[in-house]
Amino acid sequence: MASATEDPVLERYFKGHKAAITSLDLSPNGKQLATASWDTFLMLWNFKPHARAYRYVGHKDVVTSVQFSPHGNLLASASRDRTVRLWIPDKRGKFSEFKAHTAPVRSVDFSADGQFLATASEDKSIKVWSMYRQRFLYSLYRHTHWVRCAKFSPDGRLIVSCSEDKTIKIWDTTNKQCVNNFSDSVGFANFVDFNPSGTCIASAGSDQTVKVWDVRVNKLLQHYQVHSGGVNCISFHPSGNYLITASSDGTLKILDLLEGRLIYTLQGHTGPVFTVSFSKGGELFASGGADTQVLLWRTNFDELHCKGLTKRNLKRLHFDSPPHLLDIYPRTPHPHEEKVETVEINPKLEVIDLQISTPPVMDILSFDSTTTVSILEQRLTLTEDKLKDCLENQQKLFSAVQQKS
């Protein structure tokens, strides 16, 4: 376990949304944070001191998911308005809109090479889009209820999806077929994702559980029961050693997957926590929830060991090989109850120097795929139009007076 000097620390928080945070993602360069909310807005936060935040206006209903492209040059968002949007993350906020789903869209996910986008919807389908041509490619149908999440494997060969039909399905992106199926008789998974090496998946359960499966041997490896509310989101540390979870019980928890145990419980949010995500380097993670706050945490645990494991994961590109001990963690499936030798961190109980971020916000209004203007620019345009009208009226009045005289 990490020493006290390496414990996660709440570094700063961001305020700007007017309703619950549904999703967030840190940019690949670690300098920006994108958030989605029930308030129908997408926000882009810059970590530089005194930098303004951008609020993208365009979706007509709750924004359910947001993700940066691997190169950070695009932002994808999904909404209950049944659309998917691709934004350029700058002050112009130009976007493209994708319409193909017939019900609210619940998640977006870029492939690791940035060439494809997978979207999951309450129309019971997963759809895959080409980013190069920005067009729809194909749909995946086998779920019998709302699909809550769909994620690419690191090599792009597979997609994992979870649904309220209480199944988790693995899809082959080459032949577009469902090649594996994990089912649960108790609850359904709210969120699912691959580990960094692509050999395992983890699920966040509505039944308060977190499960880790090996996708090559179709085996449940770990089953954690550490939350007292539904688990809404998970995120793997880039090393693959740790998993962070967000729950409706108001806490974040960090699991050590190699030792198979809970090591941290993080307080800080008031009410349910809906989303959490590690940065690409693993030195930061962010969380958001019903309290409308976005918390940014710093952690240095396992930093040196992480570099070696990342190299090992990159080398293990042949996924048909027999399972490796470090890939599947404990060799046999076993449940994990919360243990007493865990560290609980509650920033509210400590006197800490937080960087509180309530930066000036610029609203970016979107009209079509080529034109967006800020509210300030729109107001200036309206003022100019009124001034022109006023001058024209004065000229007409002056001409009328001259004709009478």
Side-chain angles (χ1 to χ4, degrees), residues 1-273:
M1 192 174 80
S3 67
T5 57
E6 296 171 326
D7 289 345
V9 175
L10 179 59
E11 189 165 270
R12 62 196 293 187
Y13 66 88
F14 299 92
K15 282 187 172 182
H17 282 292
K18 305 299 182 184
I21 312 296
T22 57
S23 177
L24 54 78
D25 192 33
L26 289 108
S27 64
N29 64 10
K31 296 179 179 179
Q32 292 177 307
L33 174 69
T35 56
S37 170
W38 272 81
D39 62 14
T40 75
F41 302 133
L42 192 69
M43 291 195 71
L44 183 64
W45 310 87
N46 293 288
F47 293 164
K48 290 181 180 179
H50 312 298
R52 68 178 58 189
Y54 299 129
R55 179 164 48 211
Y56 296 102
V57 183
H59 280 298
K60 298 176 177 62
D61 207 333
V62 175
V63 187
T64 55
S65 180
V66 63
Q67 191 184 59
F68 279 97
S69 64
H71 298 295
N73 60 322
L74 291 173
L75 266 179
S77 61
S79 171
R80 291 194 63 83
D81 66 11
R82 305 182 181 185
T83 69
V84 174
R85 292 192 178 206
L86 284 180
W87 309 79
I88 297 175
D90 59 18
K91 65 181 180 181
R92 293 170 296 171
K94 291 183 179 179
F95 78 96
S96 300
E97 188 175 69
F98 295 166
K99 292 181 179 180
H101 286 291
T102 58
V105 189
R106 298 299 294 261
S107 82
V108 290
D109 186 60
F110 284 99
S111 59
D113 59 9
Q115 293 187 30
F116 304 100
L117 183 76
T119 58
S121 169
E122 291 180 11
D123 64 12
K124 307 176 188 177
S125 77
I126 301 109
K127 297 188 185 298
V128 178
W129 311 76
S130 166
M131 292 296 93
Y132 177 70
R133 297 184 178 179
Q134 294 208 358
R135 67 179 181 87
F136 168 73
L137 292 179
Y138 60 89
S139 294
L140 302 172
Y141 291 104
R142 282 288 293 276
H143 283 294
T144 58
H145 209 308
W146 297 348
V147 187
R148 299 186 69 96
C149 180
K151 295 280 188 178
F152 281 102
S153 61
D155 65 351
R157 288 167 45 184
L158 302 173
I159 290 175
V160 62
S161 62
C162 62
S163 165
E164 292 192 20
D165 63 12
K166 298 184 180 180
T167 68
I168 295 172
K169 296 185 186 297
I170 308 291
W171 309 82
D172 188 315
T173 58
T174 302
N175 60 27
K176 321 295 189 295
Q177 297 297 313
C178 179
V179 295
N180 215 334
N181 188 80
F182 303 100
S183 59
D184 200 323
S185 59
V186 181
F188 56 85
N190 288 310
F191 193 94
V192 67
D193 202 3
F194 282 93
N195 70 339
S197 65
T199 58
C200 297
I201 59 169
S203 63
S206 63
D207 60 353
Q208 308 178 8
T209 67
V210 176
K211 295 178 181 178
V212 180
W213 313 75
D214 186 290
V215 297
R216 299 159 302 176
V217 294
N218 305 333
K219 194 175 186 180
L220 176 64
L221 301 174
Q222 296 181 341
H223 181 187
Y224 294 91
Q225 296 174 306
V226 293
H227 282 290
S228 58
V231 188
N232 299 311
C233 189
I234 54 166
S235 180
F236 278 99
H237 186 269
S239 68
N241 278 357
Y242 302 98
L243 187 72
I244 190 167
T245 63
S247 170
S248 291
D249 65 15
T251 68
L252 301 164
K253 292 184 185 281
I254 298 178
L255 308 172
D256 185 324
L257 298 178
L258 290 182
E259 294 188 12
R261 66 188 184 92
L262 171 68
I263 55 174
Y264 290 111
T265 297
L266 307 178
Q267 309 282 349
H269 286 283
T270 303
V273 190

Side-chain angles (χ1 to χ4, degrees), residues 20 29 51 72 138 239 345 363 385 395:
N29 64 10
Y138 60 89
S239 68
I345 298 174
D363 282 355
D385 290 342
Q395 285 178 340

Side-chain angles (χ1 to χ4, degrees), residues 237 239 241-242 258 300-312 326:
H237 186 269
S239 68
N241 278 357
Y242 302 98
L258 290 182
N300 297 315
F301 62 83
D302 208 36
E303 191 172 37
L304 295 175
H305 191 40
C306 166
K307 294 178 181 178
L309 282 168
T310 303
K311 289 180 181 178
R312 175 180 64 80
L326 290 179

